[in-house]
Amino acid sequence: MATQHLDPTDPTAGPVPADALAGYLRAQATEFLRALRLHRETGAGGPEESVDAARALRRSARRISGSLHTFQALLDADWAEDMRPELAWVSGTLALEHAYASRLERLLQALHRLSGAPVFSARPATDVAVAGGSAASGRSAAPGGAGPAAPTATAERGNLTVGAAKAGALLERQLTLARTRAHSTALQALGSSRFHAVADKVAVLASEVPLADGAAGADLRPLAAAAEERLTDAIAALPLVTAGHPYNAEALVHGLSPDPVPHPQDAPWHQVRLLLRLHRYAREVVHGAPDPADVRLLTAGEALDRHRDASEAAAAAAQAARTPRIAPATAYALGVLHADQRHEVEAARYAFRHCWQKEAVGTS
Amino acid sequence: MATQHLDPTDPTAGPVPADALAGYLRAQATEFLRALRLHRETGAGGPEESVDAARALRRSARRISGSLHTFQALLDADWAEDMRPELAWVSGTLALEHAYASRLERLLQALHRLSGAPVFSARPATDVAVAGGSAASGRSAAPGGAGPAAPTATAERGNLTVGAAKAGALLERQLTLARTRAHSTALQALGSSRFHAVADKVAVLASEVPLADGAAGADLRPLAAAAEERLTDAIAALPLVTAGHPYNAEALVHGLSPDPVPHPQDAPWHQVRLLLRLHRYAREVVHGAPDPADVRLLTAGEALDRHRDASEAAAAAAQAARTPRIAPATAYALGVLHADQRHEVEAARYAFRHCWQKEAVGTS
C-alpha cells in the first residue's frame, strides 16, 4: 500500500512531531470559524447552505474534540479538559436536529418498502426520500414547522394500508416535533454566551495551540497507536463470530423484552463507532490529510453509522407504539417496522464484520 | 461419489426397468397398510404411537402419489388419475393437525426468544418446546381440548411483557382451535367411505401394480430425469442471486401490503419444495432405496420446509393481528413476530441457495 510507510504503528516510519498536531488543530479551528461565519450569513437565507454550515461546524468540532482526547498528553492539560466537553456540547446540540430528520426519513422509507412496491406505481419510493430530504433542509428554518402531520402528507400515503399510513403519520408527528425542538435548542445554543465562549477559544486556537511544556519535540505516533489499540481491543470484544453468521437473529433477541433499556447489546458497537472515529482523526493528524487507506475506515464507519441509525430508528418505532390510544393496526405496523430496523442493525453488524476482516487482512 | 453411477441422468448407467417402480409401489402400499393398522390399533391408546402412525401414513401416501405423477406414462392412466387426488387428500388431511401444532410451537418459541433470554432464568426456553410438543401429541386425542387458552399457560408466561404474553395466548387459542378441528376432520376422514375406498385400492396395489401396456420392459430413467429437469428449471427461475446476499430484506417487502395474498413471492419456493420432493422420491424408485447423495437433497428440502413453516407462521401472526378488539401491545408483539418469521423465510432462502450451490458443484 502506498501509505503503508505513514502508518503510525509502523516502527520503520519516522517520528511525527507535535507540530503536525498544532497544524491540524489550527486548520480545524479555522474551518470551525469559517463554518460559523457561513452559518450566521446563511441562517436567514437559503436553508441548504445553513444545513451545510451546521454540518461543517459539527465536523470540525468533532475533530478538535477528538484530537484533544487522543493527544491530551501533549497539550496544556487544563485547557484541553475545559475545551473538550464544550466542543462535545456544540457538536451534540447541532447533531440532534439532523438526527431526528434522518430518523424520520429512514422510518418512512422503510414503511414504504414494507408496504410493497406495487402500491407505488404512481408515486415511486424515491419521492419519499426527496420529500424527507427537503423536509429536513427546507422546513428546518421555518418556525412552527412541527405540530400535527400535514393532512396532505397523510393523503399522499393513502395507498398504504391504514396501519402503515397511521404509523407513518404518528412517526412524522412525533419526530417532526422533536426535530423542531432540537432546531430551536440549536438556535438558542448558537446565540448563548456559552457558545460565544467556545467560539472565542476556537478563535485563539486558530492562531496559537497550547502545547504542554516540552511537547514540541515529542512524537505523535505512540499516542495515535494507543488510540488504534483502544479501537482494536474494543473490536476484539465484539461478538464478531456471531455477527459473521448471517441471519443469526441476535439483534432482535430482546425485541419484546420488558427491559427498560431495550438493547444493551448495541452499546459496545456504539462505543466502537466512537473509537473508530477517534482512530480516523488520529490518522488525519499524523498523515496531515485523509489518506487512501481511510476509505476502508470510512466504510467500516459507515456500517457502524448505519448500526446506530437503525438502532435508534427501531427504538423510535417502539417508543411510538407506546403512544396511548393508538389503533391495533398502527401498533402492528410499528411492530413490523421495529423488527425490520432491528434486522438492519444485524445487517450492519454483518457488514462491519466483513469490512473489518478485509481491513485486518489488508493492513497486516 | 459412490452413487454417481446410479444417477438417473448418467448416460453411462444401465437402464432401470419398470419392475423397480412396481417393487417400490408395492413396498410403499404395504407400508401404508401397516401404518393404517397401527393407527387403528393405537388410536384409542398412546397418542405418540398414533402420531407416528399418522406420519407413516402420510409418508407412504406422498410417495405413492408422487411416483404415480412422475412415472404416470408407465402406469395404467385411468387408475393413476383416479388414485392420485385421493392419496393427496389423505396426506393433506392428515398433515393439517400436525401443521397447526408445529406452527404454534414455532411461534411460541419465537415469542420466547424475542422476549429475551434473561427472562427465562427460572424457566428455560426448551420447556416451551417440550410443552408445545406434548400439546401436539398429548392433547390431540382429547375431545374438546380446544377453546380458550388455559389460564395456567398464560400464568407461566407471566414474566414476559404483557404484549408478548397476550400475543402468545391469542395464538395458542386460535391455533389450538384450528388443530382440534383438523384432528376431528382427520378422524372423520379416516372413518369415511372415501378413505375405505382408497385403502382398498392401496391393498390391491400392495400385490398388483397396474403397469401400462408394454411398460414392463421400459426404462425408468428418462422419466426420473424429466422430474429432475422440472426441478432444476424451477430452481433456475428462483431469485437465487438475491437470496444469496444476506439481509436483502426481500422477504418482508410486502409485509404491510394491503394485498389480500400477502406473499406471492413465496409461491415459487413452495413449488420448488414440491418438485424437490418428487425428485427425491424418483431417486428412491430408481435406486431402490434412499442413497447417500439424498442427504444433500434432504438438507435442501429441510431449508424449503423451514421456508414454508416460517411463511405460514408469519401469516398466522398477521392473521391473529386482525382479531377484533385486541390491545395495541398485543398487535405490536404480533407485528414483531410477523417480521421475525418473514426474516426466517429470508434466512431459509439463503440456506437453500448455499446448500443447492454446493449440491450443484458436488454432482456436476
Side-chain angles (χ1 to χ4, degrees):
Chain A
M1 208 184 310
T3 57
Q4 195 73 18
H5 66 284
L6 288 175
D7 191 322
T9 59
D10 181 356
T12 65
V16 177
D19 279 356
L21 173 62
Y24 183 83
L25 285 174
R26 277 196 301 269
Q28 291 301 329
T30 305
E31 178 62 23
F32 183 96
L33 297 172
R34 194 193 62 77
L36 181 57
R37 201 166 48 243
L38 192 70
H39 192 269
R40 280 179 180 149
E41 282 165 7
T42 60
E48 252 182 61
E49 289 81 359
S50 174
V51 165
D52 287 348
R55 184 178 293 123
L57 262 179
R58 294 202 317 265
R59 195 176 177 278
S60 49
R62 280 200 311 263
R63 278 169 170 73
I64 300 170
S65 170
S67 304
L68 300 196
H69 179 78
T70 302
F71 301 104
Q72 182 155 8
L74 301 179
L75 295 162
D76 181 288
D78 290 346
W79 172 81
E81 265 174 39
D82 281 357
M83 190 80 168
R84 271 197 61 220
E86 294 307 289
L87 286 166
W89 166 72
V90 169
S91 63
T93 305
L94 292 179
L96 267 185
E97 182 186 356
H98 171 73
Y100 286 122
S102 65
R103 196 168 306 157
L104 177 59
E105 192 183 323
R106 165 179 272 272
L107 286 166
L108 291 183
Q109 276 185 321
L111 273 177
H112 277 81
R113 175 168 44 81
L114 294 171
S115 304
V119 177
F120 301 101
S121 51
R123 185 174 170 74
T126 47
D127 277 16
V128 184
V130 174
S134 71
S137 55
R139 289 193 231 144
S140 59
T152 49
T154 309
E156 278 166 7
R157 285 194 303 273
N159 277 333
L160 303 193
T161 49
V162 174
K166 281 190 171 178
L170 179 61
L171 289 166
E172 188 155 2
R173 206 154 57 231
Q174 295 184 341
L175 290 172
T176 304
L177 181 62
R179 199 198 67 209
T180 307
R181 283 187 180 147
H183 182 68
S184 306
T185 305
L187 284 185
Q188 275 177 0
L190 289 175
S192 69
S193 57
R194 183 178 177 185
F195 179 76
H196 286 298
V198 178
D200 287 349
K201 284 185 178 178
V202 174
V204 173
L205 181 64
S207 58
E208 188 190 332
V209 175
L211 290 181
D213 291 340
D219 183 9
L220 296 178
R221 293 182 314 142
L223 293 174
E228 181 168 19
E229 202 177 319
R230 283 191 290 274
L231 171 67
T232 49
D233 285 355
I235 289 175
L238 290 176
L240 287 185
V241 173
T242 300
H245 288 109
Y247 303 109
N248 56 68
E250 267 304 302
L252 201 55
V253 152
H254 294 255
L256 292 172
S257 162
D259 194 330
V261 182
H263 291 286
Q265 57 169 283
D266 296 356
W269 297 86
H270 295 334
Q271 180 64 12
V272 165
R273 180 177 161 272
L274 299 179
L275 292 173
L276 182 69
R277 206 152 74 176
L278 289 175
H279 169 54
R280 196 152 56 81
Y281 298 160
R283 285 178 68 99
E284 285 180 13
V285 171
V286 169
H287 293 193
D291 73 296
D294 279 352
V295 172
R296 281 166 163 179
L297 291 179
L298 279 173
T299 311
E302 277 163 9
L304 294 172
D305 287 351
R306 210 174 118 210
H307 180 275
R308 194 264 324 258
D309 292 348
S311 165
E312 293 186 344
Q319 184 59 40
R322 290 187 204 101
T323 309
R325 289 181 301 281
I326 57 171
T330 311
Y332 176 79
L334 290 169
V336 171
L337 187 59
H338 171 79
D340 174 72
Q341 291 300 305
R342 290 305 303 172
H343 277 97
E344 274 281 297
V345 166
E346 200 178 296
R349 292 179 189 169
Y350 178 82
F352 171 79
R353 190 263 184 190
H354 278 258
C355 169
W356 190 253
Q357 201 174 43
K358 244 188 260 169
E359 164 94 14
V361 172
T363 62
S364 68
Chain B
M1 206 184 309
T3 57
Q4 195 74 15
H5 66 285
L6 288 176
D7 191 321
T9 61
D10 181 356
T12 66
V16 177
D19 279 356
L21 172 62
Y24 183 83
L25 286 173
R26 278 195 302 268
Q28 291 300 330
T30 304
E31 179 60 25
F32 183 98
L33 298 172
R34 195 194 62 78
L36 182 58
R37 200 166 51 242
L38 191 69
H39 192 270
R40 280 177 180 151
E41 280 165 7
T42 60
E48 253 183 62
E49 289 81 358
S50 174
V51 166
D52 287 348
R55 183 177 295 123
L57 261 181
R58 293 203 317 266
R59 194 176 179 278
S60 49
R62 281 199 311 263
R63 278 169 170 73
I64 299 169
S65 169
S67 305
L68 299 197
H69 179 77
T70 301
F71 302 103
Q72 183 156 7
L74 301 179
L75 294 161
D76 181 288
D78 291 346
W79 171 82
E81 264 175 40
D82 281 358
M83 190 81 168
R84 273 197 61 220
E86 295 306 289
L87 287 166
W89 167 71
V90 169
S91 61
T93 305
L94 292 179
L96 268 184
E97 181 186 358
H98 171 74
Y100 286 123
S102 64
R103 196 168 306 158
L104 177 60
E105 192 183 322
R106 165 178 272 272
L107 286 166
L108 292 183
Q109 277 184 320
L111 274 176
H112 278 80
R113 174 168 46 78
L114 293 172
S115 304
V119 178
F120 302 101
S121 51
R123 185 173 170 72
T126 47
D127 276 16
V128 183
V130 173
S134 70
S137 55
R139 288 193 231 145
S140 59
T152 48
T154 309
E156 280 166 7
R157 284 194 303 273
N159 277 334
L160 304 193
T161 50
V162 174
K166 279 190 171 177
L170 179 61
L171 289 166
E172 189 155 1
R173 206 154 57 230
Q174 295 185 341
L175 290 172
T176 305
L177 180 62
R179 200 196 65 209
T180 308
R181 284 185 180 150
H183 182 70
S184 305
T185 305
L187 284 185
Q188 275 176 359
L190 289 175
S192 69
S193 57
R194 183 179 177 185
F195 179 77
H196 286 298
V198 179
D200 286 348
K201 283 185 177 177
V202 174
V204 173
L205 182 64
S207 59
E208 190 189 330
V209 175
L211 291 181
D213 290 341
D219 183 8
L220 296 179
R221 294 182 314 141
L223 293 173
E228 181 168 19
E229 202 178 319
R230 282 190 291 274
L231 171 66
T232 48
D233 285 354
I235 289 175
L238 290 177
L240 286 185
V241 173
T242 300
H245 288 110
Y247 302 109
N248 55 69
E250 267 304 303
L252 200 55
V253 152
H254 293 255
L256 292 172
S257 162
D259 195 328
V261 181
H263 290 285
Q265 57 169 283
D266 297 356
W269 298 85
H270 295 335
Q271 180 65 12
V272 166
R273 179 177 163 272
L274 298 179
L275 291 174
L276 182 69
R277 204 152 75 177
L278 288 176
H279 169 55
R280 196 153 56 81
Y281 297 160
R283 285 177 68 97
E284 285 180 14
V285 171
V286 169
H287 294 192
D291 72 297
D294 280 351
V295 172
R296 283 168 161 178
L297 292 180
L298 279 173
T299 311
E302 276 163 11
L304 294 172
D305 288 350
R306 210 174 118 211
H307 180 275
R308 194 263 324 257
D309 292 348
S311 165
E312 293 186 344
Q319 184 59 39
R322 290 187 204 103
T323 308
R325 290 180 300 283
I326 57 171
T330 311
Y332 176 79
L334 289 169
V336 171
L337 186 59
H338 172 79
D340 174 73
Q341 291 300 304
R342 290 305 304 172
H343 276 96
E344 274 281 298
V345 165
E346 200 178 298
R349 292 180 190 169
Y350 178 82
F352 170 78
R353 189 264 185 187
H354 279 257
C355 168
W356 190 254
Q357 201 174 45
K358 243 188 260 170
E359 163 93 15
V361 172
T363 61
S364 67

